Amino acid sequence: MAKFYTILIGFFILVSAWTSGSTADDRLSLAQLQEQLQQLKTNYGILEEKVLRLELAQLATGDRQTNQAQTKNAIFRTCSEARTVDPSLASGMYWIDPDGEGVGDDPIYVSCDMATGKTSVSHDSESPIDVGHCPDPGCYSREIIYSATMRQMTTLVELSDECHQSIKYDCNYAPFETNGVTYSWWNDRNGNPQYFWAGSDSSVHTCQCGIDGNCVDSIVKCNCDATVPLLLSDSGVITEKTLLPITKLNFGRTQLSSSSGAHTLGRFECSGGTTVTGMPTSCEDLWRSGHRLSGLYFVMEGKLVKNVYCDFAKLPGEAGFQSLIGYAEVKPKPTYFDIPTSCANLKGTGHTSSGLYLVKEGELVKNVYCNFTKLPEEAGFQSLIGYAEVKPKPTYFGIPTSCANLKGTGHTSSGLYSVMGSTMVETVFCDFTKTTGDPAFQTWIGFDGVQSTSVYFYVQRNGDFRSTNNPITFDVVRTNTGGAMNAGNGKFTAPVTGTYFFSFSGIAYMIGTTSDGDFQASLRRNGEQIGRVETKMTQGLSTDGYSLQSTLHLQSGEQIWMQSDRESNMYLHDDGNHYTHFTGWLLQEDVAQSFKNRLLL
C-alpha cells in the first residue's frame, strides 16, 4: 500500500504544479492530467490485486503452531471432522489436510465454523470487481486464485455431504445472453463452461429469479437478461458440488458507456461428512472412514470377503487407488474335528466353496468333488474323482539313477520312469511287483533327448577378410539362439558340455599376379588346430571354394573359431553376395555333466 500512497502524493504534486506554475505554458494540460489520473487508477487496481494475492500466499505459508495447539497437535481432513472429534473447538482459522496427512498436497489454511462444521476456502475475488467495457462474449475473463490446491478442494468435496458457492452480478445493459448469443459464463473445476447461475441444473441457463419465477421480465430467466434501463442484479448459489469450485469468470457486452457489470464471488464452502455405516466394501469406504496408511485390507463383496491393496497416496477414482489381491474363504464355526472321510465331514468343518477335496477311505486317500450348493442328502453333493497314491516316508533323497532309487523315495506303482544315467537321461520300466534283485525289476528302454538349453548359430561376412593368425570375424548374424556365438570376435563359447557340429565354407580370391597363390584356414579349439582347409591356384586372376565340417565334444566354456593361417597372393573374399558361411549347433548335451557343473556352482 505504501507504493500506492507514493503514487497518490505524486499526483497531488502534479496538480500543484499545474495550478501554481509561473506561466500557463509551464503547466500540464487538463487532458494530460486526466490521462495520468486514469493511469494512477489502473496502477492502483493492479496493486490492490497483488496485495490480496500476497495475503493469500502468506496465509498458505504461515505459522501453524497456534492452530495445531488448538487441535491438540492433530491435522484433520475437514472442519466437520475436527468438530466431531472435539466439539469444544472455537470457530476460526485452521489447518486441514483433506487428501490425508503425510501424503498428497500440503495442508491448507481455511475458515472453520465450528457451530455447523462448515469449511470455507478463501480466494482473491471475494470483493466486487468491475468488468470494465468490452463488446465480445467473454472479453472480460478472470481466473480465480484459491488459498488451496485443486486436489485438496476436490478431496474436500468427496468428504462432504454438500458444497456450494455463491455468485452475484450487478448489471446495467449487460446481459448474460441476448438474441441467441451467450456473452457470459463461468468455468467449473475441470475448465468446462457453465451457463447456469443458481441451483444444480447445468442443462439450462437460469438464475435464482428464474427458479423462483420472479424475474423483472417474465420472458427471461435472469434479471440481467432483461433489456431495461435499470441497475439490476442476479445472485444465486451453485450447489452442484461435482462442478465446484468455480475456476474462472467470463463476461461481455458492456461496450456502451451506460453499460456496467460487477461480479462478487463467494468463498468455496463445504459442510457435513460422508459417513460409512456397516462393513467396508471398498478402499473408498476405508478412506472415508479415516484410514490413511496404504496397505492390504479386507472388505466385503456380497457374502464374500476379498483382500485388496489400498493406495491412500491416491484419491478415489484415480488408477491404482484399489487393487484386487484375491478372495478369502470365510467359514462358520466348525462342527466336525477329525480327518475328513466325506464331503459331509468337510461341510461340518465349515467348508462352503465347492471344489475338489481329498478325503480318507480306510488306508486309501480319494479325490472327490464336493458341491456345497446342494444338501448332503441330494444327488451330486459328492462325486468320486479317483484315488490318490499315498507313499510311505522316503528313504532316498537325490536325483534317481535307478528303479531302486525310485522305490527308496516311496514309488510303488509300476511304470515308465526317467532316471539319470552316466551321461544322459534314460527311460526305464520299473516293475515294483518284483524284488530289487530280480533282473526284471528294471528294464532299460532308451535315452531321452533332454537339453537344458537350445544352442545354434549361423553367421556370414559382407566383405573380404585379410589378417593371418587371427580369428575370422563376421558382420551378419542370421541366428544366434543361446547367444554362444560372438560375431565381433569370431569365437563360439560352449554354454554346456556336450557334442556339437560345426560347418565352415567360403571362397578364396586369387590376386592377378604371375606367381602362384595359396590360402589356408583352420578350425581351432582353444587355439588347438582341429582341421584345415587349403586352396591353391596357379598364376592368374580367379577364385576357388573350400569347406570344412567337424563334430566335437566340448566342455562348458571351451571356445571354437576359424582362423586364416596363410594368405599367399590369395585371401578370403566376400561381398554382398555372402560367400562365407559359418554355422554350428548342439547335437547332444551331456546332461549328467552339466548337472554336476551346476552343483559345483
Side-chain angles (χ1 to χ4, degrees):
M1 295 300 290
K3 181 178 178 180
F4 169 70
Y5 289 127
T6 301
I7 295 172
L8 195 60
I9 291 172
F11 169 71
F12 286 123
I13 292 174
L14 287 172
V15 173
S16 298
W18 183 77
T19 56
S20 60
S22 58
T23 65
D25 294 336
D26 295 332
R27 300 171 188 169
L28 292 173
S29 68
L30 179 60
Q32 289 175 319
L33 282 174
Q34 289 176 334
E35 180 180 355
Q36 292 192 13
L37 176 59
Q38 181 61 39
Q39 184 63 43
L40 284 171
K41 289 181 179 178
T42 302
N43 291 340
Y44 172 70
I46 295 173
L47 181 61
E48 186 179 37
E49 179 177 340
K50 288 184 177 179
V51 169
L52 179 57
R53 296 194 181 201
L54 179 61
E55 289 175 349
L56 290 174
Q58 289 174 337
L59 283 176
T61 57
D63 188 359
R64 306 178 186 179
Q65 293 180 353
T66 302
N67 175 252
Q68 288 178 341
Q70 287 177 316
T71 58
K72 299 180 174 61
N73 297 316
I75 296 183
F76 298 102
R77 296 186 297 176
T78 66
C79 296
S80 178
E81 183 178 291
R83 175 175 176 263
T84 301
V85 174
D86 188 355
S88 66
L89 291 174
S91 298
M93 300 299 293
Y94 287 83
W95 288 98
I96 63 171
D97 198 349
D99 67 357
E101 187 174 359
V103 298
D105 291 354
D106 291 337
I108 57 176
Y109 202 46
V110 300
S111 174
C112 291
D113 181 352
M114 289 306 180
T116 61
K118 181 174 64 179
T119 303
S120 298
V121 181
S122 60
H123 57 78
D124 65 345
S125 304
E126 297 176 22
S127 300
I129 298 176
D130 194 317
V131 303
H133 294 281
C134 63
D136 299 322
C139 54
Y140 167 88
S141 182
R142 180 178 178 86
E143 183 179 355
I144 311 304
I145 307 300
Y146 290 88
S147 62
T149 64
M150 184 56 67
R151 175 188 174 91
Q152 289 284 37
M153 290 189 287
T154 302
T155 309
L156 178 62
V157 170
E158 294 293 328
L159 293 171
S160 302
D161 284 335
E162 69 84 26
C163 294
H164 61 269
Q165 195 165 11
S166 65
I167 185 168
K168 181 183 179 184
Y169 189 57
D170 297 313
C171 56
N172 191 350
Y173 279 119
F176 297 127
E177 292 184 2
T178 185
N179 297 326
V181 179
T182 300
Y183 288 94
S184 302
W185 64 90
W186 54 272
N187 294 95
D188 62 25
R189 70 186 187 199
N190 297 314
N192 299 318
Q194 300 294 336
Y195 307 99
F196 70 106
W197 301 87
S200 61
D201 188 353
S202 61
S203 64
V204 295
H205 165 66
T206 187
C207 297
Q208 189 60 46
C209 71
I211 297 174
D212 297 337
N214 57 4
C215 297
V216 295
D217 185 346
S218 61
I219 299 177
V220 297
K221 297 293 185 180
C222 294
N223 288 323
C224 290
D225 290 343
T227 54
V228 295
L230 297 173
L231 180 61
L232 301 174
S233 178
D234 277 302
S235 60
V237 178
I238 307 298
T239 59
E240 179 49 64
K241 70 175 187 176
T242 60
L243 301 178
L244 297 175
I246 294 172
T247 58
K248 186 182 289 187
L249 295 174
N250 312 275
F251 297 95
R253 202 184 181 281
T254 56
Q255 74 273 27
L256 300 176
S257 59
S258 59
S259 298
S260 66
H263 62 76
T264 306
L265 183 64
R267 292 187 174 187
F268 174 51
E269 298 179 330
C270 294
S271 60
T274 54
T275 58
V276 177
T277 58
M279 296 184 183
T281 61
S282 63
C283 291
E284 183 171 349
D285 286 349
L286 294 167
W287 178 77
R288 293 186 185 283
S289 299
H291 286 273
R292 302 178 182 179
L293 297 177
S294 300
L296 295 173
Y297 291 85
F298 283 108
V299 296
M300 290 297 296
E301 184 182 90
K303 294 184 178 180
L304 295 176
V305 175
K306 63 181 179 181
N307 189 228
V308 293
Y309 175 74
C310 301
D311 186 354
F312 290 125
K314 303 179 182 295
L315 297 178
E318 293 183 351
F321 175 72
Q322 176 175 313
S323 303
L324 175 65
I325 303 301
Y327 288 88
E329 183 179 18
V330 181
K331 306 171 184 177
K333 182 180 178 182
T335 59
Y336 178 83
F337 301 91
D338 206 343
I339 298 176
T341 61
S342 64
C343 293
N345 292 161
L346 291 167
K347 185 174 183 179
T349 62
H351 286 274
T352 57
S353 298
S354 300
L356 296 175
Y357 291 87
L358 293 175
V359 296
K360 190 79 170 174
E361 184 183 89
E363 297 297 324
L364 297 175
V365 174
K366 62 182 180 182
N367 190 232
V368 295
Y369 175 75
C370 300
N371 187 352
F372 291 119
T373 64
K374 300 179 180 293
L375 298 175
E377 61 273 13
E378 290 181 334
F381 175 71
Q382 175 175 312
S383 303
L384 175 64
I385 303 301
Y387 288 87
E389 182 182 20
V390 180
K391 304 170 184 177
K393 181 180 179 181
T395 59
Y396 178 82
F397 301 91
I399 295 179
T401 61
S402 64
C403 292
N405 292 161
L406 292 167
K407 185 175 182 180
T409 61
H411 285 274
T412 58
S413 297
S414 300
L416 294 174
Y417 290 87
S418 292
V419 296
M420 180 68 78
S422 58
T423 61
M424 300 174 65
V425 176
E426 302 174 5
T427 297
V428 295
F429 176 74
C430 300
D431 187 350
F432 291 119
T433 65
K434 302 184 182 300
T435 62
T436 306
D438 192 319
F441 175 70
Q442 176 173 315
T443 304
W444 186 77
I445 303 300
F447 293 105
D448 293 346
V450 178
Q451 289 184 183
S452 63
T453 183
S454 296
V455 182
Y456 46 90
F457 72 91
Y458 174 29
V459 293
Q460 296 176 306
R461 285 192 58 79
N462 279 324
D464 300 336
F465 181 84
R466 304 190 67 173
S467 178
T468 58
N469 300 320
N470 288 310
I472 297 172
T473 59
F474 302 91
D475 310 304
V476 180
V477 178
R478 297 296 184 188
T479 185
N480 189 20
T481 300
M485 181 62 192
N486 186 330
N489 63 22
K491 294 183 178 182
F492 171 86
T493 303
V496 294
T497 300
T499 303
Y500 294 81
F501 174 80
F502 299 96
S503 175
F504 180 75
S505 63
I507 62 173
Y509 180 74
M510 175 70 176
I511 301 173
T513 178
T514 58
S515 302
D516 294 339
D518 183 12
F519 174 77
Q520 296 178 2
S522 59
L523 179 69
R524 302 275 174 165
R525 177 173 62 186
N526 297 333
E528 172 195 2
Q529 179 179 310
I530 300 300
R532 171 169 287 169
V533 294
E534 181 176 17
T535 178
K536 292 184 177 182
M537 299 186 69
T538 57
Q539 56 188 345
L541 179 64
S542 186
T543 59
D544 195 12
Y546 52 83
S547 65
L548 179 151
Q549 294 81 36
S550 179
T551 300
L552 297 172
H553 187 273
L554 302 179
Q555 297 293 322
S556 175
E558 287 193 299
Q559 292 186 319
I560 293 291
W561 67 85
M562 287 299 300
Q563 177 174 300
S564 177
D565 296 329
R566 181 176 175 81
E567 299 176 355
S568 177
N569 296 323
M570 296 184 75
Y571 56 87
L572 185 153
H573 170 67
D574 214 326
D575 54 27
N577 291 312
H578 303 303
Y579 299 111
T580 309
H581 310 273
F582 188 26
T583 184
W585 58 84
L586 173 63
L587 291 171
Q588 180 66 56
E589 180 181 352
D590 188 341
V591 178
Q593 185 61 45
S594 296
F595 178 72
K596 291 176 183 177
N597 292 340
R598 287 195 293 272
L599 288 179
L600 292 175
L601 295 176

